Amino acid sequence: LPWTMAAVTAGFWTVGFNDMRQQRHAIRRNFPVLGNMRYVFETLRPEIRQYFVEGDYEALPYSREGRSVVYRRSKRMNDTMPLGTRRDVYKGG
């Protein structure tokens, strides 16, 4: 049991130090634990969507879709959404 707890603690420290050194995500650099939790919850959002009241286009003052377009544009990523599907239909496999 002590070795297991030491291994888990060492894992958290390793993730924390790696997050503080990385330059890509400011929220993970400034708040390693909360930043990683944010990305985990963003990943799980479609699965727990039934508990949210608002959809992607219904929020005020900005919809989730509008916010995500602004985030993608600020990171110089592709900001267009495909018509019909969000899956990568050209991916092999």
Side-chain angles (χ1 to χ4, degrees):
L1 185 65
W3 289 104
T4 307
M5 292 178 64
V8 169
T9 302
F12 279 120
W13 277 89
T14 303
V15 170
F17 282 129
N18 287 338
D19 282 347
M20 288 190 293
R21 284 195 313 254
Q22 60 88 27
Q23 296 293 317
R24 188 170 181 182
H25 301 285
I27 192 163
R28 283 180 45 211
R29 184 174 52 249
N30 295 331
F31 307 101
V33 175
L34 295 176
N36 283 315
M37 286 177 33
R38 173 191 174 206
Y39 290 115
V40 167
F41 286 131
E42 280 185 359
T43 304
L44 293 176
R45 188 180 83 78
E47 284 79 14
I48 59 174
R49 166 103 188 222
Q50 62 186 344
Y51 297 109
F52 292 126
V53 176
E54 298 172 337
D56 283 342
Y57 305 104
E58 300 167 354
L60 292 175
Y62 300 105
S63 67
R64 182 176 298 275
E65 183 62 30
R67 256 192 331 265
S68 81
V69 167
V70 171
Y71 290 156
R72 286 192 302 267
R73 287 179 181 172
S74 70
K75 294 180 180 182
R76 298 184 190 271
M77 297 172 61
N78 187 4
D79 64 335
T80 58
M81 295 299 293
L83 180 64
T85 185
R86 292 184 181 185
R87 297 181 183 179
D88 186 7
V89 295
Y90 297 109
K91 182 178 179 181

